[in-house]
Amino acid sequence: MLKVCKFGGTSMADATQYRKIRDIVRSDPTRRIVVVSAAGKRFPKDNKITDLLYLCHEHIRYGVNYEIIFDMVRKRYISIRNELGLRRNIEAELDLLRDKIEQGISREELVSRGEYLSAILMADFLDFPFVDARNWLFFHYDGTIDQDRSYAALRRIVGEGCAVIPGFYGLMPDGKIRTLTRGGSDITGALAAAALDADVYENWTDVSGILMADPNIVENPRTIEQATYSELRQLSYSGAKVLHEMTVFPVREKNIPLNIRNTNDPEHPGTMVREEFKESSSDRKRFVTGIAGKCDYSAVTIHKKGMAGSVGNLRNMAEIFENNTVPICYTPTGIDCISMVCPTEKLTPHMYSITDDLRREMRPDSIKVTDSIAIIAVVGRKMAYRTGAAGMIFAALGEANINIRMISQGPEELNILVGVDHKDYENAVRVLYNAFVK
Ligand code: ASP
C-alpha cells in the first residue's frame, strides 16, 4: 500500500504547519511519498514565497535592487529551520542561490527554489530522503512531460522507500530547469502517484475537500464527499476553485483515487474522487454533486433569416472566433440565430475585428453583443437520465424572479448550465443550493 501526499503552500507556510504534516505522515506508514509546495501565506495579507521569487526576478530584469525581497524569502526559511530545531545549513543554500542570481539565473530556475528549499527542510524534519525533481521529472522540448522516462526514473530512485519531492518543476532535455504553470505542484504529486502506482493520491490543502458551492456566496456549504473525475473536471472548468485543472489526468489514466484533505483538520475525510462509485438507491436522493459558476461572459449573437436551413454557419462563425484567437465556451443556438459565449476579457480586445469579420463573411441581419452574463453549472452524475432536475432548476429560479438568459445541458447529462444576468448571479447560486442541497 502506498499513499502519495502533496501538501500545498498554506500547509507549508511555517513551522507549526510542518509539525502538522509530520503528525499526518507519521500517523500512517503508507504515507511514504511527500510532495511539497513553496511556503504559502500564513495569514491573508502575507506573501507567498513563489510570488516573492517572481517579483525578485522582475526587479533583476529591470535593474532594481532585489535585496529586500530576497531577504523576505531568506528569513522565512531560516525561521522555519530554527523553529523546528533543524541543523541544515540553509544559509549556504541561500548564498548559493544569490551567487546564481548575480551570474544571471533563469526566471524558471529562480521561482522553482521555493519548492526546493521547502523540500530540503521537510526531508530533514521527517528524516526522509530528499529526491530532487530535476532527477526524475523530465520535459520534452515542447513543454509536455516525458511520462515514460519520468515514471521509470522515479521508480528507480524511490523503489519501495520514502521520499520528499519538491513540486512545480522538472528538467528540460538541455539540462535547464522548467516550471509547470502556477499551482503546478498538484501535477507533480499526481505524476508521482501515477509513476509509483500509488493506491491513493492525497492532496492536502486548507479546506476540507471540495465544497458544494462557493463559501463566499453560500454560508457554510457542505463538503462534496464523493465526486467522479468527470464531475471534478466540470466543476473546476465552471469556476469551482479546486486543484490545478491538469491534476486529474495522470491519476485518472491509472485509475488512482484522489483524496482532497485538510491539513488543519486531518480527521475530516475530505472529498474522494474516483472514476465511478457504486451507488445504492438511497444514495440517489441527493442528485446534485456541486454548484459552480463564473461571471463575466459575453455572448455574440447573429440572426439571419433562413439560416437554419443552410449548412456551414456554425463552422463559419466558429472559424471567425478561432482566427481571432477567442475561445468559445458555449454555443446556444436558436432557429435562424447562433450565439457564441466567451469570456469577456478574451473577447474585448478582438471585438471589432470579430464583428467586422462576421458582417463580411456571414452577412447576418443583425449582430448583438451582450455582456455581464454569469454562467452557473449544476453538476451531478446522478442527474443523468433522470427526470425533474431541469424542472427544479427552472422552478426555483422562476420563483425567485431570476430571469434565465441561456440554458444548456451537456450530452452526458452530467451538468445543466444556466446563464443569468451578472446582478442575479449570487442570488441564483443561493437559490439553487437551497433547492438542491438543503
Ligand atoms: N508554488 C507554486 C505556485 O505558487 C506551485 C504550487 O504551489 O503548486 O504556483
Side-chain angles (χ1 to χ4, degrees):
M1 176 89 173
L2 168 67
K3 289 181 181 165
V4 169
C5 311
K6 181 259 166 177
F7 292 92
T10 49
S11 305
M12 296 292 297
D14 58 21
T16 311
Q17 296 301 82
Y18 271 61
R19 290 194 188 97
K20 288 182 192 168
I21 293 177
R22 183 189 54 191
D23 294 345
I24 291 167
V25 172
R26 289 216 178 134
S27 69
D28 182 345
T30 66
R31 291 187 176 128
R32 287 190 282 113
I33 305 295
V34 173
V35 177
V36 297
S37 280
K41 293 187 183 195
R42 294 160 289 187
F43 43 87
K45 290 231 160 102
D46 198 13
N47 300 110
K48 292 171 76 166
I49 291 296
T50 312
D51 291 341
L52 293 176
L53 291 169
Y54 274 110
L55 198 59
C56 218
H57 194 265
E58 284 306 281
H59 278 64
I60 297 162
R61 195 155 84 95
Y62 290 105
V64 180
N65 189 327
Y66 62 86
E67 291 295 342
I68 297 177
I69 299 162
F70 190 73
D71 210 44
M72 289 162 84
V73 176
R74 192 182 177 90
K75 283 200 176 114
R76 179 85 76 93
Y77 283 110
I78 290 177
S79 85
I80 294 176
R81 191 266 326 264
N82 290 349
E83 280 179 48
L84 296 176
L86 300 171
R87 281 208 295 273
R88 163 72 60 161
N89 187 354
I90 206 81
E91 288 85 349
E93 296 283 353
L94 289 157
D95 290 344
L96 208 71
L97 179 56
R98 232 176 136 278
D99 289 349
K100 272 199 150 186
I101 291 176
E102 292 299 321
Q103 287 154 25
I105 195 171
S106 77
R107 179 178 190 246
E108 309 238 339
E109 180 166 358
L110 176 55
V111 302
S112 74
R113 296 303 87 186
E115 270 68 15
Y116 172 81
L117 294 166
S118 282
I120 283 195
L121 289 180
M122 185 54 85
D124 275 10
F125 190 50
L126 295 177
D127 201 15
F128 278 15
F130 165 76
V131 173
D132 198 339
R134 65 180 301 147
N135 295 332
W136 73 273
L137 207 165
F138 301 119
F139 288 94
H140 292 294
Y141 268 118
D142 67 1
T144 55
I145 308 276
D146 185 344
Q147 281 195 358
D148 292 343
R149 191 168 159 232
S150 303
Y151 288 6
L154 188 63
R155 276 198 291 268
R156 212 174 32 247
I157 298 170
V158 170
E160 297 295 304
C162 310
V164 174
I165 300 172
F168 192 40
Y169 70 93
L171 204 68
M172 288 294 276
D174 61 3
K176 296 206 170 95
I177 295 277
R178 181 183 173 111
T179 52
L180 295 152
T181 46
R182 293 299 307 263
S185 301
D186 284 339
I187 305 174
T188 309
L191 289 165
L196 301 171
D197 288 312
D199 296 276
V200 54
Y201 171 34
E202 290 183 340
N203 193 296
W204 292 83
T205 164
D206 55 4
V207 277
S208 298
I210 312 168
L211 301 175
M212 290 187 81
D214 183 344
N216 296 314
I217 301 176
V218 171
E219 206 181 321
N220 278 328
R222 286 170 187 262
T223 295
I224 300 175
E225 286 165 27
Q226 299 185 326
T228 61
Y229 288 122
S230 306
E231 288 175 310
L232 179 67
R233 177 89 184 106
Q234 291 282 342
L235 286 165
S236 47
Y237 181 79
S238 308
K241 287 181 195 62
V242 214
L243 307 174
H244 190 294
E245 62 171 12
M246 304 304 277
T247 307
V248 298
F249 296 114
V251 278
R252 191 175 184 178
E253 258 170 35
K254 294 260 186 136
N255 211 358
I256 297 169
L258 160 66
N259 190 194
I260 301 165
R261 303 283 294 263
N262 187 352
T263 304
N264 304 320
D265 186 6
E267 298 307 318
H268 196 293
T271 301
M272 188 57 103
V273 185
R274 292 175 189 272
E275 192 58 44
E276 56 185 1
F277 292 93
K278 283 200 186 69
E279 245 113 29
S280 67
S281 51
S282 64
D283 291 336
R284 295 182 64 87
K285 260 192 270 136
R286 180 175 293 128
F287 56 97
V288 164
T289 301
I291 297 164
K294 269 197 249 184
C295 294
D296 297 321
Y297 286 97
S298 297
V300 180
T301 307
I302 61 164
H303 282 261
K304 186 176 178 174
K305 277 187 278 316
M307 187 161 64
S310 62
V311 292
N313 294 300
L314 207 54
R315 185 187 56 75
N316 279 348
M317 195 164 169
E319 202 168 84
I320 289 171
F321 277 71
E322 184 185 343
N323 293 342
N324 283 279
T325 64
V326 176
I328 302 162
C329 300
Y330 307 103
T331 52
T333 57
I335 295 170
D336 295 340
C337 71
I338 308 175
S339 273
M340 298 273 160
V341 178
C342 39
T344 306
E345 57 155 347
K346 297 273 166 57
L347 176 69
T348 307
H350 303 278
M351 180 132 100
Y352 295 118
S353 161
I354 284 187
T355 45
D356 219 43
D357 291 354
L358 287 170
R359 208 165 281 131
R360 199 179 48 250
E361 312 250 332
M362 303 194 68
R363 306 201 171 281
D365 299 328
S366 70
I367 303 176
K368 196 167 155 208
V369 181
T370 320
D371 291 330
S372 303
I373 298 177
I375 295 182
I376 302 170
V378 179
V379 177
R381 61 190 180 277
K382 296 174 209 161
M383 289 193 323
Y385 313 110
R386 177 181 171 140
T387 51
M392 271 174 83
I393 292 177
F394 304 140
L397 294 176
E399 262 166 46
N401 244 332
I402 294 170
N403 182 27
I404 302 174
R405 306 185 53 176
M406 187 198 103
I407 304 162
S408 168
Q409 180 173 17
E412 335 87 308
E413 299 191 17
L414 199 67
N415 64 0
I416 297 177
L417 305 170
V418 286
V420 298
D421 203 284
H422 203 154
K423 70 171 174 17
D424 292 325
Y425 172 62
E426 297 200 352
N427 195 20
V429 171
R430 274 190 290 268
V431 164
L432 292 171
Y433 184 86
N434 291 342
F436 283 103
V437 184
K438 268 203 171 158

